[in-house]
Amino acid sequence: MKKLVVLTGAGISAESGIKTFRDADGLWEGHNVMEVASPEGWRQNPKLVLDFYNQRRKQLHEVKPNFGHQTLAQLENHFDVHIITQNVDNLHERAGSTKVLHLHGELFKVRSTNPEASGENYILDWKTDLNWGDCDPNGNQLRPHIVWFGEAVPALDEAIEITEQADYLVIIGTSMQVYPAAGLLHYTNKNVPVFYIDPKPATIYDLSNPLEVIPMNATEGVPFLKEKLLKRE
């Protein structure tokens, strides 16, 4: 099977009802994004940050994967599909995708604020509210398992390795503005076809790969791409 690598952003989740901050002047559910998604915001008002992610967690229980997510899962019948997502929801997994790498963390997981004491891999599944006073066994406060602005992206090396092996690269629902995620496409082999699905596609500069822009949302564009790819095989 050929390897199909898919980079997904907020656009595919937005069609399931998950709001994004990129479309709202830097506000995310009414908050300045740096108040709720940065180490500085956490230090200044951790309870606000916890409440913000508690609300996002509740919302995730209420939404469902859309036809874009489902079609990506169906492509596993024809390709070795690896999804690298900037999204912190679990909609890809719920749709049936089996190889999903979350660059920016996961909403249904939490970790210790002191990884040196608890270990880098002290990460817990967590589907309910996370409150001030919820601690690891060493008494360190737990925090959302989210990569905030200004923090390192631990999964980046694995994402680069996956992208380097792609036979096809697909980009879905991303503004291509968030780095290092936006730079991943430059790690593909130069003869690998790149498909970019977005109703408002950004201009991609300095790309030597063959590029096809599909100006559709994910629920329309992914089925369109599926038919196109199957005709190539």
Side-chain angles (χ1 to χ4, degrees), residues 15 67-68 71 170 172 197-198 214-228:
E15 291 190 71
F67 196 48
T71 307
V170 182
I172 305 173
I197 301 172
D198 197 288
I214 301 172
M216 300 177 181
N217 58 29
T219 52
E220 298 169 337
V222 180
F224 177 83
L225 175 66
K226 178 184 175 183
E227 296 305 315
K228 181 180 288 286

Side-chain angles (χ1 to χ4, degrees), residues 36-51:
V36 294
S38 72
E40 293 76 20
W42 172 256
R43 285 193 292 269
Q44 290 173 8
N45 195 341
K47 292 182 180 179
L48 172 68
V49 176
L50 290 172
D51 180 67

Side-chain angles (χ1 to χ4, degrees), residues 4 8 10 17 34 50 55 63 85 100 108-109 156 192 195 210:
L4 177 65
T8 66
M34 298 308 286
L50 290 172
Q55 297 303 316
V63 299
T85 185
V100 184
F108 277 168
K109 292 184 178 180
L156 182 61
V192 168
F195 301 90

Side-chain angles (χ1 to χ4, degrees), residues 49-100:
V49 176
L50 290 172
D51 180 67
F52 177 81
Y53 287 99
N54 287 343
Q55 297 303 316
R56 306 287 72 70
R57 215 173 283 115
K58 287 176 182 175
Q59 182 189 46
L60 190 48
H61 286 290
E62 299 168 356
V63 299
K64 296 179 180 179
N66 60 55
F67 196 48
H69 296 108
Q70 293 161 355
T71 307
L72 287 176
Q74 293 165 8
L75 280 166
E76 291 192 10
N77 295 322
H78 308 280
F79 300 93
D80 178 17
V81 181
H82 290 251
I83 295 175
I84 302 170
T85 185
Q86 299 175 59
N87 302 330
V88 297
D89 58 65
N90 64 348
L91 295 177
H92 283 301
E93 289 91 339
R94 285 165 56 189
S97 291
T98 60
K99 298 174 184 176
V100 184

